[in-house]
Amino acid sequence: MRWDGLNRDDAAGALFGTDAVTSRTFDTPGFRGITFHEIRARTILNRVPGASRMPFEWTVNPYRGCSHACVYCFARRTHSYLDLDTGHDFDTQIVVKTNAAELLRRELAAPRWKGEHVAMGTNVDCYQRAEGRYRLMPGILQALRDHANPFSILTKGSLILRDLELVRQAASVTEVSIALSVGFTDGELWRSVEPGTPSPETRLAVCRTLSENGITPTVLMAPVLPFLSDSPEQLRATVRAIAAAGAVSITPLVLHLRPGAREWYMAWLGRNHPHLVRRYEALYAGGAYAPTWYQRRVTRQVHEFAAEFGCGPGRRGTARRLDLPRQDAGRAGEPGSAPEPPAAPPEAENTQLTLL
């Protein structure tokens, strides 16, 4: 495994050395067949490339690789930088940045950090199965709360409910956005393409619980799978379920197939839906993204159904202000006091390798 090749920019020093890696396996049903590589990272705030389509500039990824095992996951290519394959290894060789929370707290306190928005769950899911064992997110959320630093989380995991109180505390002092990823509600399709994730019904229950606890949830309806989950009837059923779960907005996103994910997904398609292979090859002949006309058609239909069920199109949310008990408020500054002035990025900047 080429640990020393995990560089900030393929030319700078490695983010961690081989002497900082401990590999573990656990003989329990939830982790059987998975190897966890525990590392002490040298930086945790990642700068998004300027060419990215994302509306944010900084991310935090406490894990690399993902046991959700979604066959379409765009982040699969990142494993190739470690001389690991983008298929089975991505699902079973998980890098755990065990010092993520302490590192983030230090980088947020750096004099040059400007307090910019931090996005999580944009590369791999920060609430994947490993989080149940390593519990990195509570420390990360505490650091963001204590610095009143705005952030967002995108997840397919239900473990976020474990940290609901920390999310509430953070939302009382800064802008917090939580989004669930639910691309479809077909149970058979879910078991085939997202075998390591909680079911769509479970994710919608998480959405409902967040809403009931004062956290305004949004849903990224992603991915919409061409010829598998994109019929008007399927889109309407999914939007209806999402609206019923209390989401305030829905943003559809059609499947895109970048190198690494493309090979793995097309192999799955050939095994499970061979009659669709040629249709996919034609639809994605122009590259990683489906044609604009197709994306617009899906988006228009989803927005029409969202309007029907009283759930608007996706939009940037604002912080939900909640009352904190006095003993909790002290952690992020006394009530009524201004937060510490934000500072700017730390000296060493890690470049986010791939995003939506």
Side-chain angles (χ1 to χ4, degrees), residues 20-296:
V21 180
T22 301
S23 298
R24 302 183 191 277
T25 58
F26 304 104
D27 191 23
T28 56
F31 298 120
R32 192 166 295 140
I34 299 176
T35 300
F36 297 97
H37 305 284
E38 301 173 358
I39 65 102
R40 291 189 62 80
R42 294 175 182 168
T43 184
I44 198 68
L45 281 166
N46 312 297
R47 184 185 285 277
V48 178
S52 170
R53 300 183 179 191
M54 293 298 97
F56 44 79
E57 191 173 354
W58 296 93
T59 66
V60 164
N61 299 303
Y63 301 98
R64 192 183 186 100
C66 187
S67 58
H68 282 346
C70 302
V71 297
Y72 52 75
C73 184
F74 66 90
R76 289 183 174 277
R77 187 183 180 188
T78 61
H79 252 40
S80 66
Y81 301 120
L82 301 175
D83 279 350
L84 293 168
D85 73 56
T86 61
H88 183 69
D89 284 350
F90 181 84
D91 303 337
T92 61
Q93 303 289 323
I94 312 299
V95 176
V96 183
K97 302 173 186 177
T98 57
N99 62 334
E102 62 184 89
L103 197 54
L104 179 61
R105 186 173 290 276
R106 183 167 74 241
E107 293 183 359
L108 292 177
R112 294 175 55 223
W113 174 247
K114 296 178 181 178
E116 297 171 86
H117 181 96
V118 173
M120 292 175 284
T122 61
N123 196 36
V124 301
D125 202 323
C126 52
Y127 281 106
Q128 61 176 284
R129 201 179 313 160
E131 174 60 18
R133 183 174 190 93
Y134 286 97
R135 300 181 63 87
L136 301 181
M137 286 302 294
I140 289 172
L141 293 175
Q142 288 165 4
L144 291 164
R145 175 202 64 192
D146 293 350
H147 287 272
N149 202 101
F151 67 88
S152 60
I153 297 174
L154 170 64
T155 183
K156 286 186 173 75
S158 57
L159 270 171
I160 190 172
L161 293 183
R162 179 201 65 194
D163 298 337
L164 179 57
E165 182 54 31
L166 285 172
V167 173
R168 285 169 52 87
Q169 291 173 16
S172 72
V173 296
T174 190
E175 180 179 323
V176 174
S177 175
I178 306 297
L180 279 299
S181 176
V182 184
F184 43 82
T185 53
D186 184 312
E188 184 176 351
L189 184 60
W190 157 65
R191 280 186 289 270
S192 183
V193 298
E194 302 171 344
T197 67
S199 69
E201 291 78 11
T202 298
R203 282 174 257 163
L204 292 173
V206 171
C207 184
R208 190 175 298 109
T209 300
L210 290 171
S211 181
E212 291 170 350
N213 282 272
I215 304 297
T216 304
T218 64
V219 168
L220 183 64
M221 189 170 159
V224 175
L225 302 176
F227 319 123
L228 291 170
S229 68
D230 65 343
S231 73
E233 296 77 18
Q234 290 170 311
L235 294 176
R236 187 175 188 274
T238 301
V239 171
R240 181 179 182 178
I242 292 170
V248 296
S249 69
I250 303 173
T251 300
L253 184 68
V254 173
L255 173 72
H256 62 276
L257 296 173
R258 290 187 177 183
R262 188 183 189 110
E263 297 85 346
W264 193 245
Y265 182 84
M266 293 301 290
W268 169 86
L269 194 69
R271 293 191 304 270
N272 293 273
H273 304 280
H275 62 290
L276 293 179
V277 170
R278 287 190 177 181
R279 297 182 71 182
Y280 266 80
E281 290 173 345
L283 190 66
Y284 289 90
Y289 294 89
T292 300
W293 65 263
Y294 177 87
Q295 296 184 56
R296 287 177 176 171

Side-chain angles (χ1 to χ4, degrees), residues 260-339:
R262 188 183 189 110
E263 297 85 346
W264 193 245
Y265 182 84
M266 293 301 290
W268 169 86
L269 194 69
R271 293 191 304 270
N272 293 273
H273 304 280
H275 62 290
L276 293 179
V277 170
R278 287 190 177 181
R279 297 182 71 182
Y280 266 80
E281 290 173 345
L283 190 66
Y284 289 90
Y289 294 89
T292 300
W293 65 263
Y294 177 87
Q295 296 184 56
R296 287 177 176 171
R297 187 187 74 186
V298 169
T299 299
R300 182 179 66 254
Q301 289 178 327
V302 167
H303 286 175
E304 288 173 354
F305 294 137
E308 175 185 352
F309 295 113
C311 186
R315 59 188 181 277
R316 186 176 178 85
T318 57
R320 181 63 178 257
R321 299 297 173 180
L322 304 171
D323 291 330
L324 273 181
R326 180 168 293 274
Q327 63 268 26
D328 291 329
R331 296 175 183 171
E334 291 300 316
S337 64

